[in-house]
Every structure is written in structure tokens, then in C-alpha cells.
Amino acid sequence: EAEGTKNADGTRDDPPLAKFEEQIQEYKAIGQAISSLPGSAVVGFIKVSAKPLKNSLSTWASKWSYLFTHYLQDKVVSSISELYSFMDASDATLARKVLGEGASDQQADEGASAEQGEQAEDSTDSNPEHKPQQAEEYRRALYDMLSCMRDVRKRGDRTDAMFEPLKDSATLLQTVGIQLGDVVLKQLDYAEFKWKGLKKKMLNRREQLAALQQAEAVEIRRKSDAFAERVDDYRKFFLKRAPFTVSGGDLRLEAVRPAYAVLDAFHHGSVDGHASVTAIIEESRQLQELQDLFELYISDYLMLQRCSEELLYLKSLWDTVGAVMYTFADWNKTPWAKIDVEMLVEEAKKLTKDVKTLNKAVRNYEVYRLLEESLKAMLTSLPLVQDLHHPAMRDRHWKMLMQTTGKHFTMDEKFCLGDLLALELHNFVDACSEIVDRAQKELNIEKQIKKIEDTWTVLALLFTPLADSDIMCLQVEDAITEALENDNMQLQTMSGQKYVQLNPMFLDAVANWQKKLGTVDSVLATWTDVQKKWQALESIFVGSADIRVQLPDDSKRFDAINADYQDLMRNAFDVTNVVEACNMEGRQERLENMLSQLEQCEKALQDYLETKRIAFPRFYFVAPADLLDILSKGSNPQLILRHLSKCFDNVHNLSFRKDDRGELTKAATGMFSGEGEYVEFAADCACEGPVETWLQSVVDSMKAAIQAEFKK
């Protein structure tokens, strides 16, 4: 409390006035106590004078008391002075004339002479620029008055609360003998009255200026609309001109400086005659101030904010590009004999990590993609450099590398990392690996084939019972999918290698496994499709009597598929090893035949659904799965009520009449909205027959109910 209340902005208000009074009285009492002390004392044969010490202590006590009183005095005087200055300036501003008021006053002045009127008219005619200048002055006066009114409103509460504390401070100062002066006291007494008068005058002027404010607001809106179009054009220019990409699609060190130049121009210069982002944002802020002044909607100009944000993003991105490119340029100078690949890989990973820390927004920029590609190429090439640094490399191997890359180089003492990276080794990974490791790869191939065999020996298909059924359901585990993808990719890579092509044993083993895994992939995909389609169609063709009547041929076709599929699934778990199960003789053809038949059933079902949609067009709003559910359960209205909101906006339920036993009948009596509002039908609606027919009856009942409500 003694330090004052802390505000939200970090500043502090003054402590309570009682604290000031307490401190002032305390130091005055200290001064009086010091004055009452004797000025000298005799100690034995020595007389000690205490006057210098008394004077010093009294001075310090007076200074502390003066500090508190002087602070209060300055606060009262400065507060009153600032308030009167504000009120005088506001009075002068509110008294200014705006557009139309000068003419009205002149017409209202009945004492003006005709000669003066003619002189004024002649003066106006002789100065054609007078009217535009006067209109501009009136407009400025209007802006100044609106700003003044805004300032009065903003400081209203603070000023209303300052009068009593100031008066109490003046009373306290008089109590301790500090006189403020008659002028200040008079101003203090009259300040509250004058402040209230200013607020009243502000309200009166606000009413008087309402029409002019509205007219000027229209002009501000026009400027805002024009500026919004300009912002849109600027956004398009920014997206086209800012360094989001580089020419040629190749990221090089030489592109850094031009990119910085463009970024600097967009930030604090001009680009192709267009203002900088900073300048146009400042212009938008001025327009926003006018919108705030005229109490209009304040446009946020998001496109400018995006330009500003993207400018910062591009700066950070190009900073990173420069760091990466300069680092790569330094690495390229490393002599061949002094290349430390492990260190370079670690540094490249750090650079990649730094790139990942950039704002996610830059990941859509072309420059970011090129930067990532450069780092990936470096991380791909460096291990190849390590391989090529193997002591087994001879001249013939370097010649083979030249033939592979199509580029020539000389292996001498001047050969450096940059010469090797210029070969774009990341585009010849397999070739480089073949050149370096050809003699050692056959053992590796054997290990890989053995690993594939071991993997597929233990992988098995998983079958689980289908819910509410004794039919088994195939589940392909992620391990199978992952192994299939990885091993197929590995076999594909192996099959293209020379040492596989030249070795019949490896070639046969790789081809055999490629065939087996290809069959596994095809059979599992077909099997999964058949299972999904069977599960989707089984409840429709088996459980819906209406569809069986409407699609008799397809229902028979599905019955045959259903029997074949159930037979397949009953015997499927006899052999669960993935490779053996999928490569069983005739299994792939059997599944493909089922899939073909199921697709015919699906097509027939879709054609059937289309006829239902034509009969009841609101079915076009319903997803196929939901429509099938509606059609299969259409004979029981209670089971399709959950789909009503998909056909009718905000109709969530229907009420049905009950029979003598209290059970719901198929006669609908009214409808409920999602908020629980109930509208009763004018007459019972029979929900019987084909679902599209009785749903149309529901539509008719809805219309009749609304008409009946309007008639009430």
C-alpha cells in the first residue's frame, strides 16, 4: 500500500494520501525533536558543541518533508494545468466550424447587409480555389473534433475520479503550511464544473455532427474499399516477385545476394515501382485509425499481415540457405586426402536439423524444397564418398565411375571434395555401390535372401469370427504389409544388380520370391476387396426383402457368391502361412471371379439406388451407405428415424400414434426439430409401403402442418 497499487502496464499509482500525511508529520516531528535538543554539552573539562550536527539533521528532516510536500504540490498544479490545457484545447476544437455550419450562420444572421453578401459572393467567385480549401479546412476541423471527442471519452473515468483526491491534497498542503496560490485554488474549485460543461458540449456537438460524420464515413468506406483492392493487387505482386523460388530451379550460392536485395527492397525500399511492405502497412494503419475515429468496422488487412509475416519467414529461410550454401562451398575446397566424412555427415545433420526448426509456413516455398533436396543430396552423397575412399579403389574403378556419371575428372593432388560432388553422386547411388562393393555383395545377397525366407516362414494370416456370425474374417496384420512392401522393394533392387543377373542361383531365387510375393500382394488385395464388398452387400441382399424383390437376378448371383465365399472362409484357416495360403492353386482365380461378380452386384445396386433417388430426390442428400440402410429398413419407420436429419433440414424425429396395447403404430402424428420443438401434423401420416412413397407422404404432411399453423 505504501508503494502504491501496481497497474497492468507495470506502472504504479501514488500511495494513499494518508501515507503522504503520515510521512510529512513524521519528519516534521523529527525536526521538532531535533530542535528541542540542547546545542552543547559539558563532559568533564570538555565542552562539546552539537549545533553543526543539529543543523545537519534538521536540514535532512526538512528536505524529506519538503520532498513529500513538493511532490503533492507539483502533482496538484501539474494535474490542474494539464486538465485546463486539455479543456481549453478541446473547447477551441469543439467551437470550430465544419462543412455547412459557416453558411448556415451567415444565412441566420439577419443583421448582415446585402452589400457584405455581394462582396462575399464576389470574393468566392474571384477565388475558385477558396471553396475546395474551405471544404478541406472544414474536413480537418471535423476530424479534429472527432479526435477530441474520442480523447474526452477515453479519459472520462480517470478525470472524473481525480477531483476529490486533488482537493484533499490541497487541504493537506494548507494544513502543513504550503499555499498553492489563489489561481490554482480557483482553478481547482472550478475544474469539475468546467469538465462537466466540456462533456455536455461534446455530447451536443456529437449530435450536431452526426450527419456530417455519417457523410464522411461514406468517404472513408470508399477509401477502404479502394485500398482493399490495392492490397489484393499488392498481394499478387508480392507472391510473384518475392524470392519464393530461384530461376532455373537450381539452388546456388550466387542466388543468395539477389534474394537479400529483393527482401530489403520489400522491407524498406521499393520493388518495380511498388511501395515496401512496411510503407503500405503504415498506410493501412492510418486508414484503420480513420475507421476507428468514425466508429466504422476496422479492417484487419490480413493479406498485408501475411506479406509481413512471409517477409520474415523468407528472411529466416534465406539466412539458412546462405549458411548452408557457404558451408557447402567451404567443404568443396577440402582436399581428397583430408576428407573427414563422419564429421561432414554430423555437420550436414545439424544443418538439416536447423532447417527443420524453421517456421512450418516456409515448407510450402519452392526455395525450402530445393534446400531440403540439396541437404538430402549431400547426406546421400557423403556415404558414397566414404565408400569411394576405400583403399581398394583403382584407376579402372575411377574410369568406371566416369563412364557411369558421364563426367571426367583427374585424380591428382588437386582433386578435392567439390570435384567428386560435382559428379552428382546422389543420382548414381546404385552404380557407385556396385563399383565399390561388387566383390563383397554376393555374400550380402545370400544373407538377404535367407532373411526373406525366415521372415515369411513365420508370417501367418489371422482369421477372427465376424460379429454375430460363424463366418471367419481375414485380418492382414501390419507386419505382413510392411514385410511385403520392404521385401518387394529389396527384391526389386536385387534383381537389377549385375551380380544377381550374372549368377543363375541368385537370379532364380530372386525371381521365385518376386513371383511368390507378387502373388501374395495380389491375392491379399483381391481377398480384402472381396471381403469388404461381401460385408457391405451381405446385409443388403440377404437382409432386405425389398431389394431381393427388386433385384432378383442379382440376388441369385449374390447367393451363389455368398455360398462360395463362406466355403472359402471356412477352409481358409486350414493353411495360415501367408505364402502358402496365397499361392494355393486356383485361389487367386477364385477370388478374382468373386470380385467380378460382386462388382456386378454393386453396379446393379447402384442403378437400383438411382431409381430410388429419382423417385424421392431427397435421397440425393444421403450417403450411399445410409441410403442402403434406409431402403433395407424402410418397412420399419422406427429404424430409419436417425436418418431423417439427412433428408430434412433440422427434422430429427417423428411422433407415432400408439395402439390399444401402447405399442407404436406406423401412423405419424407430428415432427420434432433438433431443439425439441414439436409441430403436429394436420392429419395422421401413414408410414407404410415403399419407403420413398411414405417419405413423400411425410413431406406432404409437413407442408399441410405448416399451412395449418399459418392459418391459426
Side-chain angles (χ1 to χ4, degrees), residues 162-177:
M162 70 182 288
F163 297 112
E164 288 301 323
L166 290 178
K167 291 179 180 179
D168 293 341
S169 298
T171 302
L172 174 60
L173 290 172
Q174 291 177 350
T175 302
V176 298

Side-chain angles (χ1 to χ4, degrees), residues 307-538:
C307 289
S308 179
E309 292 172 355
E310 289 175 348
L311 201 60
L312 295 176
Y313 296 155
L314 284 171
K315 176 62 169 59
S316 62
L317 175 59
W318 278 100
D319 286 344
T320 306
V321 170
V324 172
M325 293 295 105
Y326 276 110
T327 301
F328 285 179
D330 184 58
W331 290 357
N332 290 339
K333 300 175 184 177
T334 306
W336 176 247
K338 296 182 180 181
I339 295 175
D340 185 352
V341 174
E342 292 183 0
M343 183 275 291
L344 296 180
V345 169
E346 289 300 320
E347 292 298 321
K349 289 181 178 179
K350 290 180 182 179
L351 291 174
T352 303
K353 187 176 181 180
D354 292 340
V355 171
K356 295 297 183 182
T357 60
L358 292 172
N359 191 287
K360 292 183 179 179
V362 305
R363 298 182 182 180
N364 296 323
Y365 302 165
E366 180 70 11
V367 173
Y368 180 85
R369 184 186 65 80
L370 295 174
L371 179 60
E372 271 196 330
E373 289 180 355
S374 298
L375 284 167
K376 288 180 180 178
M378 179 62 72
L379 286 171
T380 303
S381 299
L382 287 176
L384 300 178
V385 172
Q386 180 72 32
D387 294 340
L388 292 171
H389 218 283
H390 196 278
M393 290 292 293
R394 298 292 184 268
D395 290 342
R396 63 180 181 277
H397 299 133
W398 292 113
K399 291 179 181 178
M400 189 180 299
L401 183 62
M402 293 180 201
Q403 293 175 355
T404 301
T405 59
K407 297 180 180 179
H408 183 270
F409 58 88
T410 302
M411 283 295 298
D412 54 17
E413 65 277 1
K414 296 181 180 180
F415 189 76
C416 58
L417 178 61
D419 297 326
L420 192 58
L421 294 178
L423 302 179
E424 299 180 353
L425 297 178
H426 58 278
N427 294 326
F428 305 97
V429 176
D430 294 337
C432 291
S433 299
E434 181 182 356
I435 293 171
V436 176
D437 300 326
R438 180 173 181 176
Q440 305 173 10
K441 284 297 183 179
E442 290 189 353
L443 179 60
N444 188 36
I445 290 298
E446 290 181 359
K447 292 180 179 179
Q448 291 176 352
I449 294 177
K450 184 64 169 59
K451 182 180 178 181
I452 292 174
E453 291 177 351
D454 294 341
T455 298
W456 290 100
T457 300
V458 298
L459 289 176
L461 297 175
L462 179 63
F463 295 93
T464 57
L466 195 61
D468 301 328
S469 174
D470 58 349
I471 303 300
M472 303 304 291
C473 179
L474 171 66
Q475 290 188 356
V476 181
E477 295 181 319
D478 292 340
I480 297 175
T481 304
E482 184 177 353
L484 189 62
E485 180 180 351
N486 293 338
D487 291 346
N488 269 325
M489 185 179 299
Q490 190 174 13
L491 289 168
Q492 181 65 28
T493 303
M494 289 162 48
S495 65
Q497 294 176 355
K498 286 185 178 180
Y499 40 81
V500 173
Q501 295 290 336
L502 298 176
N503 191 319
M505 180 183 67
F506 290 156
L507 186 61
D508 292 342
V510 170
N512 184 38
W513 273 108
Q514 281 184 316
K515 180 180 179 181
K516 288 181 178 179
L517 295 186
T519 303
V520 169
D521 189 12
S522 177
V523 168
L524 289 180
T526 306
W527 202 336
T528 304
D529 287 344
V530 168
Q531 182 172 270
K532 289 180 180 178
K533 293 182 184 298
W534 177 84
Q535 289 176 348
L537 298 176
E538 192 267 344

Side-chain angles (χ1 to χ4, degrees), residues 5 19 56 203 217 249 265 279 333 570 706:
T5 305
K19 290 293 181 180
S56 178
L203 295 175
K333 300 175 184 177
R570 276 194 296 268
I706 298 302

Side-chain angles (χ1 to χ4, degrees), residues 20-36:
F20 280 93
E21 183 177 6
E22 178 183 335
Q23 294 294 317
I24 293 171
Q25 295 299 336
E26 180 180 351
Y27 284 108
K28 281 187 173 294
I30 292 173
Q32 293 174 359
I34 293 172
S35 298
S36 64

